[in-house]
């Protein structure tokens, strides 16, 4: 008999859309203001996907804090709750978010906002994977990282000593999971919007409405 589904939380990690602070690898392909607008559109698309998936309640974890008008507008547009990310590297910030969310919810998925191709189906499959008792679920990224990770329990070591922002993130994370002796499942590989060629890919793969021009 399959286990009954349990409650799940989707954490969305997002930076404030400050020109010159987001999507910096797209400069000078586009202006700082245009790249910030693209970032806003990606955040809104991600929140829409998360909310409409019906997988669980959605939390927007904001960097550097919730005190930006854009985040306030997000809270008005979607049934979400805002939290501030802690200071530290990406691993430290993710670990803290998982630690806090898992106190409230049995299953937690964490996703960034750079992957518009992440779908309702992906989120549902990730939740179902955890619900079957598998401790970790990951959606790999084409660049060697990952666009989503889900956990059933908190383990700080999953996020320690990882070379964040490099092509070895996924492989290093696999090694951490092996050391813990946990099972894991990987979903289909997805792509991020980070480079100029990724912006053109938005148009080619049906996400032209996200383009800020």
């Amino acid at each position: 008999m399959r286990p009954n589904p349990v409650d799940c939380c989707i954490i969305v990690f997002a930076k404030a859309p400050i020109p010159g602070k987001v999507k910096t690898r797209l400069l000078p392909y586009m202006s700082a203001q245009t790249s910030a607008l693209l970032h806003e559109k990606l955040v809104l698309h991600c929140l829409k996907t998360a909310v409409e998936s019906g997988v669980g309640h959605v939390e927007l974890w904001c960097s550097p804090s919730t005190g930006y008008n854009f985040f306030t507008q997000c809270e008005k547009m979607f049934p979400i709750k805002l939290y501030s990310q802690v200071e530290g590297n990406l691993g430290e910030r993710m670990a803290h978010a998982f630690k806090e969310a898992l106190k409230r919810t049995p299953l937690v998925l964490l996703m960034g906002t750079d992957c518009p191709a992440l779908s309702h189906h992906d989120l549902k499959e990730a939740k179902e994977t955890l619900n079957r008792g598998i401790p970790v679920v990951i959606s790999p990224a084409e660049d060697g990282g990952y666009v989503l990770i889900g956990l059933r329990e908190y383990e700080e070591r999953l996020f320690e000593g990882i070379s964040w922002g490099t092509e070895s993130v996924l492989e290093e994370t696999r090694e951490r999971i092996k050391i813990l002796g946990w099972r894991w499942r990987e979903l289909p590989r997805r792509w991020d919007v980070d480079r100029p060629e990724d912006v053109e890919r938005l148009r080619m793969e049906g996400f032209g409405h996200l383009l800020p021009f």
Side-chain angles (χ1 to χ4, degrees):
M1 179 180 298
R2 296 175 68 183
N4 292 326
V6 295
D7 192 22
C8 181
C9 167
I10 301 176
I11 291 174
V12 176
F13 256 33
K15 294 180 180 179
I18 304 170
K21 298 292 185 180
V22 293
K23 293 282 171 268
T24 54
R25 280 186 280 182
L26 296 180
L27 307 175
Y29 174 78
M30 61 176 66
S31 70
Q33 289 74 21
T34 303
S35 62
L37 180 57
L38 172 62
H39 177 72
E40 287 186 8
K41 286 177 172 287
L42 288 169
V43 173
L44 294 175
H45 176 84
C46 177
L47 289 173
K48 185 174 186 289
T49 299
V51 169
E52 292 183 353
S53 72
V55 164
H57 66 278
V58 179
E59 299 177 356
L60 179 58
W61 284 67
C62 310
S63 174
S65 73
T66 59
Y68 288 82
N69 181 63
F70 174 69
F71 293 140
T72 303
Q73 294 302 312
C74 289
E75 190 177 29
K76 292 178 180 178
M77 295 175 64
F78 300 100
I80 61 175
K81 189 168 183 179
L82 303 183
Y83 293 87
S84 292
Q85 296 180 32
V86 296
E87 294 184 0
N89 64 37
L90 179 58
E92 292 166 337
R93 291 182 279 124
M94 292 172 65
H96 172 77
F98 268 115
K99 182 178 181 180
E100 294 305 310
L102 283 165
K103 293 176 182 177
R104 302 185 291 270
T105 314
L107 310 179
V108 176
L109 307 177
L110 189 152
M111 59 192 291
T113 59
D114 293 336
C115 181
L118 203 63
S119 67
H120 297 166
H121 176 76
D122 293 323
L123 296 176
K124 291 175 181 177
E125 187 174 1
K127 177 183 177 179
E128 179 60 25
T129 299
L130 296 178
N131 199 42
R132 292 200 305 270
I134 296 175
V136 187
V137 61
I138 295 175
S139 182
E142 291 182 359
D143 63 5
Y146 53 79
V147 299
L148 175 146
I149 183 169
L151 299 177
R152 292 180 59 90
E153 61 182 277
Y154 173 69
E155 178 49 71
E156 187 176 29
R157 286 176 289 174
L158 279 177
F159 307 101
E160 291 180 335
I162 303 292
S163 304
W164 301 108
T166 72
E167 61 184 17
S168 65
V169 168
L170 178 61
E171 187 55 42
E172 291 178 29
T173 301
R174 289 173 178 147
E175 291 303 314
R176 300 295 188 282
I177 298 171
K178 291 175 184 177
I179 290 171
L180 291 170
W182 286 2
R183 294 179 297 151
W184 81 96
R185 183 183 175 197
E186 295 184 12
L187 303 181
R189 191 174 301 271
R190 301 298 183 199
W191 57 282
D192 281 329
V193 180
D194 283 324
R195 303 158 300 174
E197 53 265 41
D198 299 324
V199 177
E200 295 305 317
R201 192 169 176 179
L202 285 171
R203 194 189 316 274
M204 293 187 295
E205 300 207 10
F207 299 103
H209 61 286
L210 299 177
L211 293 172
F213 42 75

Coordinates of all heavy atoms in Angstrom, one line a residue, residues 10-16 39 42-43 46-47 58-63 71 83-86 88-98 101 108-115 147 149 159:
I10 N 7.0 24.5 -0.4 CA 7.9 24.8 -1.4 C 8.6 26.2 -1.0 O 7.9 27.2 -0.8 CB 7.2 25.0 -2.8 CG1 6.5 23.8 -3.2 CG2 8.2 25.5 -3.9 CD1 5.7 23.9 -4.5
I11 N 9.9 26.1 -0.9 CA 10.7 27.3 -0.6 C 11.2 27.9 -2.0 O 11.8 27.1 -2.8 CB 11.9 27.0 0.3 CG1 11.4 26.7 1.7 CG2 12.9 28.2 0.3 CD1 12.6 26.2 2.6
V12 N 11.0 29.1 -2.2 CA 11.6 29.8 -3.4 C 12.6 30.8 -2.9 O 12.3 31.7 -2.1 CB 10.5 30.5 -4.2 CG1 11.1 31.3 -5.4 CG2 9.4 29.5 -4.7
F13 N 13.8 30.6 -3.4 CA 14.9 31.5 -3.0 C 15.0 32.6 -4.1 O 15.1 32.3 -5.3 CB 16.3 30.7 -3.0 CG 16.8 30.5 -1.6 CD1 15.9 30.2 -0.6 CD2 18.2 30.4 -1.4 CE1 16.4 30.0 0.7 CE2 18.7 30.2 -0.1 CZ 17.8 29.9 0.9
A14 N 15.0 33.9 -3.7 CA 15.0 35.0 -4.6 C 15.8 36.1 -4.1 O 15.7 36.5 -2.9 CB 13.6 35.4 -5.0
K15 N 16.6 36.8 -5.0 CA 17.3 38.0 -4.7 C 16.4 39.2 -5.0 O 15.5 39.1 -5.9 CB 18.6 38.1 -5.5 CG 19.6 37.1 -5.2 CD 20.8 37.3 -6.0 CE 22.0 36.4 -5.7 NZ 23.1 36.6 -6.6
A16 N 16.5 40.3 -4.3 CA 15.9 41.5 -4.7 C 16.3 42.0 -6.1 O 17.5 41.9 -6.4 CB 16.1 42.6 -3.7
H39 N 14.9 39.4 -14.2 CA 14.9 38.7 -13.0 C 13.5 38.8 -12.3 O 13.0 37.8 -11.8 CB 16.0 39.3 -12.0 CG 16.0 38.7 -10.7 ND1 16.5 37.5 -10.4 CD2 15.6 39.2 -9.5 CE1 16.4 37.2 -9.1 NE2 15.8 38.3 -8.5
L42 N 11.2 36.4 -14.0 CA 11.5 35.0 -13.7 C 11.0 34.6 -12.3 O 10.5 33.5 -12.0 CB 13.0 34.7 -13.7 CG 13.6 34.7 -15.2 CD1 15.1 34.7 -15.1 CD2 13.2 33.5 -15.9
V43 N 11.2 35.6 -11.3 CA 10.7 35.3 -10.0 C 9.1 35.1 -10.0 O 8.6 34.2 -9.4 CB 11.0 36.5 -9.0 CG1 10.4 36.3 -7.7 CG2 12.6 36.6 -8.8
C46 N 8.2 31.8 -11.5 CA 8.5 30.7 -10.5 C 7.4 30.6 -9.5 O 7.0 29.5 -9.1 CB 9.9 31.0 -9.9 SG 10.3 29.7 -8.7
L47 N 7.1 31.8 -8.9 CA 6.0 31.7 -7.9 C 4.7 31.2 -8.4 O 4.0 30.5 -7.8 CB 5.9 33.2 -7.3 CG 7.0 33.7 -6.4 CD1 6.8 35.1 -6.1 CD2 7.1 32.8 -5.1
V58 N 3.6 27.8 -0.1 CA 4.8 28.4 -0.8 C 5.4 29.5 0.1 O 4.7 30.4 0.6 CB 4.5 29.0 -2.2 CG1 5.7 29.6 -2.8 CG2 3.9 27.9 -3.1
E59 N 6.7 29.4 0.3 CA 7.4 30.5 1.1 C 8.4 31.1 0.2 O 9.2 30.4 -0.5 CB 8.1 29.8 2.3 CG 7.2 29.2 3.3 CD 7.9 28.5 4.4 OE1 9.2 28.5 4.5 OE2 7.2 28.0 5.3
L60 N 8.5 32.4 0.2 CA 9.5 33.2 -0.6 C 10.5 33.7 0.4 O 10.3 34.5 1.2 CB 8.8 34.4 -1.3 CG 9.7 35.3 -2.1 CD1 10.5 34.5 -3.2 CD2 9.0 36.4 -2.8
W61 N 11.7 33.1 0.2 CA 12.9 33.5 1.1 C 13.7 34.5 0.3 O 14.2 34.2 -0.7 CB 13.7 32.2 1.4 CG 13.0 31.4 2.5 CD1 11.8 30.7 2.4 CD2 13.5 31.2 3.8 NE1 11.5 30.1 3.6 CE2 12.5 30.4 4.5 CE3 14.6 31.7 4.6 CZ2 12.6 30.0 5.8 CZ3 14.7 31.3 5.9 CH2 13.7 30.4 6.5
C62 N 13.8 35.7 0.9 CA 14.3 36.9 0.2 C 15.7 37.2 0.6 O 16.1 37.1 1.8 CB 13.3 38.1 0.5 SG 11.6 37.7 0.3
S63 N 16.5 37.7 -0.3 CA 17.8 38.2 -0.1 C 18.0 39.6 -0.7 O 17.6 39.8 -1.8 CB 18.8 37.2 -0.7 OG 20.1 37.7 -0.6
F71 N 9.2 42.4 -3.2 CA 8.7 41.3 -2.4 C 7.4 41.5 -1.8 O 6.5 40.6 -1.8 CB 9.8 41.0 -1.3 CG 11.1 40.5 -1.9 CD1 12.3 40.9 -1.3 CD2 11.1 39.6 -2.9 CE1 13.5 40.4 -1.8 CE2 12.4 39.2 -3.4 CZ 13.6 39.6 -2.8
Y83 N 10.0 35.3 4.0 CA 11.1 35.1 5.0 C 12.4 35.7 4.5 O 12.6 35.8 3.3 CB 11.3 33.6 5.3 CG 10.2 32.9 6.0 CD1 9.2 32.3 5.2 CD2 10.1 32.8 7.4 CE1 8.1 31.7 5.8 CE2 9.1 32.1 8.0 CZ 8.1 31.6 7.2 OH 7.0 30.9 7.8
S84 N 13.2 36.2 5.4 CA 14.5 36.7 5.0 C 15.6 35.6 5.1 O 15.6 34.9 6.1 CB 15.0 37.9 5.9 OG 14.1 39.0 5.8
Q85 N 16.4 35.6 4.1 CA 17.5 34.6 4.1 C 18.6 35.2 5.1 O 18.7 36.4 5.3 CB 18.2 34.5 2.7 CG 17.3 33.9 1.7 CD 18.0 33.8 0.3 OE1 19.2 33.6 0.2 NE2 17.2 34.0 -0.7
V86 N 19.3 34.3 5.7 CA 20.4 34.7 6.6 C 21.6 35.0 5.8 O 21.7 34.8 4.6 CB 20.7 33.5 7.6 CG1 19.6 33.2 8.5 CG2 21.2 32.3 6.9
G88 N 25.6 34.7 4.7 CA 26.4 33.6 4.5 C 26.4 33.1 3.1 O 25.8 33.8 2.2
N89 N 27.2 32.1 2.8 CA 27.2 31.6 1.4 C 25.9 30.8 1.1 O 25.0 30.6 2.0 CB 28.4 30.7 1.1 CG 28.4 29.4 2.0 OD1 27.4 28.8 2.2 ND2 29.6 29.0 2.4
L90 N 25.7 30.4 -0.2 CA 24.5 29.8 -0.6 C 24.2 28.6 0.3 O 23.0 28.4 0.7 CB 24.5 29.4 -2.0 CG 23.3 28.7 -2.6 CD1 22.1 29.6 -2.5 CD2 23.5 28.4 -4.1
G91 N 25.2 27.8 0.6 CA 24.9 26.6 1.3 C 24.4 26.9 2.7 O 23.5 26.2 3.3
E92 N 25.0 27.9 3.4 CA 24.6 28.3 4.7 C 23.2 28.8 4.7 O 22.4 28.5 5.6 CB 25.6 29.3 5.3 CG 26.9 28.7 5.6 CD 28.0 29.8 5.8 OE1 27.8 31.0 5.4 OE2 29.0 29.5 6.4
R93 N 22.8 29.5 3.7 CA 21.5 30.1 3.6 C 20.4 29.0 3.3 O 19.4 29.0 3.9 CB 21.5 31.2 2.5 CG 22.2 32.4 2.9 CD 22.2 33.5 1.9 NE 23.1 33.3 0.8 CZ 22.8 33.3 -0.5 NH1 21.5 33.4 -0.8 NH2 23.7 33.1 -1.4
M94 N 20.8 28.1 2.4 CA 19.9 27.0 2.1 C 19.7 26.1 3.4 O 18.6 25.7 3.7 CB 20.4 26.2 1.0 CG 20.4 26.9 -0.4 SD 21.2 26.0 -1.7 CE 20.1 24.5 -1.8
A95 N 20.8 25.8 4.0 CA 20.7 24.9 5.2 C 19.8 25.5 6.3 O 19.0 24.8 6.9 CB 22.1 24.7 5.8
H96 N 19.9 26.8 6.5 CA 19.1 27.5 7.5 C 17.6 27.4 7.1 O 16.7 27.2 7.9 CB 19.5 29.0 7.6 CG 18.6 29.8 8.5 ND1 18.6 29.7 9.9 CD2 17.6 30.7 8.2 CE1 17.6 30.5 10.4 NE2 17.0 31.1 9.4
A97 N 17.3 27.7 5.8 CA 15.9 27.6 5.3 C 15.3 26.2 5.5 O 14.2 26.1 6.0 CB 15.9 28.1 3.9
F98 N 16.1 25.2 5.2 CA 15.6 23.8 5.4 C 15.4 23.5 6.8 O 14.4 22.9 7.2 CB 16.6 22.8 4.8 CG 16.3 22.4 3.4 CD1 17.2 22.8 2.4 CD2 15.2 21.8 3.0 CE1 17.0 22.4 1.0 CE2 14.9 21.4 1.7 CZ 15.8 21.7 0.7
A101 N 12.1 25.4 7.9 CA 10.9 24.9 7.3 C 10.6 23.5 7.7 O 9.4 23.1 7.8 CB 11.1 24.9 5.8
V108 N 10.0 19.2 2.4 CA 10.4 20.6 1.9 C 11.1 20.5 0.6 O 12.1 19.7 0.4 CB 11.2 21.3 2.9 CG1 11.7 22.7 2.4 CG2 10.5 21.5 4.2
L109 N 10.6 21.3 -0.4 CA 11.3 21.5 -1.7 C 11.9 22.9 -1.7 O 11.2 23.8 -1.3 CB 10.3 21.3 -2.8 CG 9.5 20.0 -2.9 CD1 8.6 20.0 -4.1 CD2 10.4 18.8 -3.0
L110 N 13.1 23.0 -2.2 CA 13.7 24.3 -2.4 C 14.1 24.5 -3.8 O 14.8 23.7 -4.4 CB 14.9 24.5 -1.4 CG 15.5 25.9 -1.3 CD1 16.2 26.1 0.1 CD2 16.6 26.2 -2.4
M111 N 13.7 25.7 -4.4 CA 14.0 25.9 -5.8 C 14.5 27.4 -5.9 O 14.1 28.3 -5.1 CB 12.8 25.7 -6.7 CG 11.6 26.5 -6.3 SD 10.0 26.0 -7.1 CE 10.4 26.4 -8.8
G112 N 15.3 27.6 -7.0 CA 15.7 29.0 -7.3 C 14.7 29.5 -8.3 O 13.7 29.0 -8.6
T113 N 15.0 30.7 -8.8 CA 14.1 31.4 -9.8 C 14.7 31.4 -11.2 O 14.1 32.1 -12.0 CB 13.8 32.8 -9.3 OG1 15.0 33.5 -9.2 CG2 13.1 32.7 -7.9
D114 N 15.8 30.8 -11.5 CA 16.5 30.9 -12.8 C 16.0 29.8 -13.8 O 16.6 29.8 -14.9 CB 18.0 30.8 -12.6 CG 18.6 32.0 -11.8 OD1 17.9 33.0 -11.9 OD2 19.6 31.8 -11.2
C115 N 15.1 28.9 -13.4 CA 14.7 27.8 -14.3 C 13.3 27.8 -14.6 O 12.5 27.1 -14.0 CB 15.1 26.5 -13.6 SG 14.8 25.1 -14.6
V147 N 18.6 22.7 -9.9 CA 17.6 23.8 -9.9 C 16.6 23.5 -8.8 O 15.8 24.4 -8.5 CB 16.9 23.9 -11.2 CG1 17.9 24.3 -12.3 CG2 16.2 22.6 -11.6
I149 N 16.1 21.0 -4.9 CA 16.4 20.0 -4.0 C 15.3 19.8 -3.0 O 14.8 20.8 -2.5 CB 17.8 20.2 -3.4 CG1 18.2 19.0 -2.5 CG2 17.8 21.5 -2.6 CD1 19.7 19.1 -2.0
F159 N 25.3 20.7 2.7 CA 25.5 22.0 2.2 C 26.9 22.6 2.6 O 27.2 23.7 2.3 CB 24.4 23.0 2.6 CG 23.0 22.5 2.3 CD1 22.3 21.9 3.3 CD2 22.6 22.5 1.0 CE1 21.0 21.4 3.0 CE2 21.3 22.1 0.7 CZ 20.5 21.5 1.7

